[in-house]
């Protein structure tokens, strides 16, 4: 029997099962991550972060990311297996992020996953990073079912999605320029706060007041799109003008004012999307979903509108491999095929 025949046969067996061991690998940006799942249960979820390496450059340097993924992927996978008390031989399926993300970074995970699947003679499932973020909502959560509205906000994506099933996702609105997380990062930079800017803005905003008038990141009655570049530019102009006048900038107030607008439009559009689609459930996804103001605001808005809300734990909102494993589990249930060994990384944005 060839590798392909063995993998296809095994995949058909797994499709019937609720519980089997998945090893998931994620290397799309600046975290080398590996996780082991038993069905929908996470047994281990290891993240080797590169953030300190990129911080002095003020953002992710693709070449540095690729090299560090290469250096740490093997150790991270072994750590995930150890933490789950399993060995390679126990694993039934490999899941890997193939895109979107940085090409060189993605290639490390994809090449590693392909070699491993071939050597272990087990199926390989390709996962879209965004499907991973959405799937984080199913981790140890049996109460979420299709269809639902997903508010997706990360460093590369911002969208309102109607999720009918794993493979059927309709975009109701998305950003026409910067992503929400990108705006957080850029505003943080102008305020001389370190990378990644999201958590820093959140921290600074705690002691500030949202008293600086800023434009909304697209409040429009006809569509659910976003535009963060206007909001970002307004903050940059405010800071530059104040500096030119020799005024001291109140970082906390700027952070609070920006955060209020950045988060407000996300919540408004998610609620509006749910109303338009006649769907009563909203799920949160992506790194910006770790933001406390967004989490609290979305909960409150859903409560006021009689909607159910699903919010993953903070560490499952930012990049991790457990969400990639869960995505593969859902994909297999919906008939995903074994990925060929010619599988390639695809850096293009899918949403
Ligand atoms: O999902 P993610 O980890 O990676 C991408 O797929 O992009 O998202 C990273 C983004 C960064 O822009 C980061 O600043 C933002 O999520 N982020 C936050 C917070 N934590 C991470 N933004 C706002 N508040 C946070 N607490
Ligand atoms: Zn992400």
């Amino acid at each position: 029997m060839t590798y392909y025949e063995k993998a296809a046969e095994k995949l058909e067996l797994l499709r019937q099962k609720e519980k089997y061991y998945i090893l998931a690998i994620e290397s799309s940006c600046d975290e080398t991550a590996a996780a082991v799942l038993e069905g929908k249960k996470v047994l281990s979820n290891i993240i080797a972060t590169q953030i300190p390496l990129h911080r002095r450059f003020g953002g992710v340097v693709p070449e540095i990311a690729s090299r560090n993924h290469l250096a740490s992927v093997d150790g991270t996978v072994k750590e995930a297996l150890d933490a789950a008390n399993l060995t390679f031989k126990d694993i039934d399926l490999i899941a890997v992020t193939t895109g979107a993300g940085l090409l060189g970074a993605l290639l490390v995970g994809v090449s590693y996953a392909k070699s491993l699947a071939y050597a272990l003679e087990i199926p390989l499932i390709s996962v879209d990073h965004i499907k991973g973020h959405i799937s984080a909502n199913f981790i140890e959560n049996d109460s979420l079912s299709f269809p639902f509205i997903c508010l997706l906000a990360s460093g590369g994506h911002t969208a309102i999605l109607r999720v009918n099933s794993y493979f059927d996702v309709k975009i109701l609105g998305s950003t026409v320029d910067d992503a929400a997380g990108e705006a957080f990062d850029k505003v943080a930079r102008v305020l001389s706060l370190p990378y990644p800017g999201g958590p820093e803005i959140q921290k600074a905003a705690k002691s500030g007041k949202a008293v600086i008038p800023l434009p909304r990141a697209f409040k429009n009655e006809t569509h659910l799109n976003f535009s963060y570049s206007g909001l970002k530019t307004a903050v940059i102009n405010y800071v530059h003008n104040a500096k030119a006048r020799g005024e001291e900038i109140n970082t906390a107030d700027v952070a609070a004012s920006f955060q209020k607008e950045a988060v407000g439009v996300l919540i408004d559009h998610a609620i509006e999307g749910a109303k338009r689609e006649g769907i009563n459930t909203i799920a949160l996804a992506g790194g910006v979903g770790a933001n406390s103001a967004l989490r609290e605001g979305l909960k409150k808005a859903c409560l006021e509108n009689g909607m159910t809300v699903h919010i993953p734990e903070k560490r499952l909102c930012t990049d991790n491999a457990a969400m990639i494993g869960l995505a593969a589990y859902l994909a297999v249930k919906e008939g995903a095929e074994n990925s060929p060994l010619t599988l390639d990384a695809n850096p293009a944005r899918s949403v």
Side-chain angles (χ1 to χ4, degrees):
M1 256 172 122
T2 65
Y3 161 70
Y4 285 117
E5 287 163 346
K6 282 183 189 164
E9 196 178 278
K10 178 124 201 200
L11 189 56
E12 288 319 311
L13 291 174
L14 298 181
R15 241 188 263 293
Q16 320 304 325
K17 289 182 156 184
E18 292 300 317
K19 281 189 174 179
Y20 56 89
Y21 294 121
I22 301 169
L23 172 64
I25 299 163
E26 150 70 43
S27 69
S28 67
C29 192
D30 56 357
E31 323 273 14
T32 316
V36 178
L37 285 82
E38 185 183 14
K40 285 163 83 174
K41 188 167 188 277
V42 179
L43 301 183
S44 65
N45 189 16
I46 307 296
I47 300 169
T49 186
Q50 300 179 6
I51 286 174
L53 299 172
H54 297 283
R55 190 164 271 159
R56 66 189 153 123
F57 302 102
V60 180
V61 183
E63 190 59 28
I64 293 178
S66 314
R67 285 188 207 181
N68 282 283
H69 284 306
L70 203 53
S72 51
V73 67
D74 196 41
T76 309
V77 164
K78 290 194 178 123
E79 206 181 322
L81 285 170
D82 285 350
N85 261 322
L86 297 174
T87 68
F88 280 125
K89 286 199 187 106
D90 299 309
I91 299 300
D92 295 302
L93 179 140
I94 308 281
V96 67
T97 308
T98 41
L102 302 169
L103 179 60
L106 288 163
L107 273 174
V108 175
V110 172
S111 313
Y112 189 92
K114 287 199 290 191
S115 322
L116 205 52
Y118 182 70
L120 299 173
E121 302 187 304
I122 56 175
L124 172 68
I125 296 291
S126 148
V127 174
D128 178 289
H129 186 76
I130 291 313
K131 293 278 178 68
H133 275 304
I134 299 170
S135 303
N137 282 283
F138 289 94
I139 294 176
E140 282 155 47
N141 177 12
D142 288 327
S143 63
L144 178 63
S145 56
F146 300 113
F148 58 87
I149 297 295
C150 182
L151 164 52
L152 166 70
S154 71
H157 295 77
T158 306
I160 304 294
L161 309 168
R162 179 188 165 118
V163 186
N164 293 319
S165 68
Y166 180 82
F167 283 113
D168 181 6
V169 177
K170 190 176 150 207
I171 303 168
L172 304 178
S174 62
T175 184
V176 296
D177 41 57
D178 291 353
E182 198 179 346
F184 268 93
D185 295 339
K186 287 177 177 166
V187 165
R189 208 167 165 163
V190 87
L191 292 172
S192 306
L193 297 171
Y195 175 85
E200 299 292 332
I201 296 267
Q202 177 180 318
K203 225 186 286 168
K206 259 192 191 154
S207 54
K209 289 196 189 76
V211 289
I212 301 160
L214 294 169
R216 258 268 129 131
F218 251 22
K219 177 74 187 153
N220 188 299
E221 299 309 318
T222 56
H223 59 67
L224 298 173
N225 287 342
F226 303 90
S227 167
Y228 276 97
S229 91
L231 174 60
K232 172 197 72 186
T233 308
V235 176
I236 293 172
N237 287 343
Y238 173 86
V239 171
H240 286 170
N241 290 340
K243 273 188 188 161
R245 287 194 299 267
E247 291 168 14
E248 196 158 321
I249 293 148
N250 185 328
T251 301
D253 283 355
V254 177
S257 306
F258 166 75
Q259 181 173 268
K260 182 169 176 262
E261 293 305 332
V263 161
V265 71
L266 292 171
I267 297 169
D268 287 355
H269 282 197
I271 298 286
E272 179 62 22
K275 283 184 184 164
R276 284 187 196 181
E277 296 295 313
I279 289 180
N280 223 13
T281 305
I282 298 179
L284 183 59
V288 182
N291 183 278
S292 301
L294 176 57
R295 298 167 78 87
E296 293 313 314
L298 184 63
K299 262 187 224 163
K300 189 165 165 266
C302 284
L303 193 68
E304 282 165 6
N305 286 280
M307 293 173 185
T308 307
V309 65
H310 293 264
I311 300 182
E313 276 176 43
K314 285 185 186 178
R315 60 185 191 93
L316 294 173
C317 286
T318 44
D319 288 350
N320 66 87
M323 68 184 194
I324 303 302
L326 206 298
Y329 180 83
L330 297 174
V332 167
K333 281 265 172 287
E334 281 189 27
E337 295 295 337
N338 184 47
S339 294
L341 295 169
T342 51
L343 183 69
D344 210 350
N346 176 16
R349 196 146 100 163
S350 59
V351 167

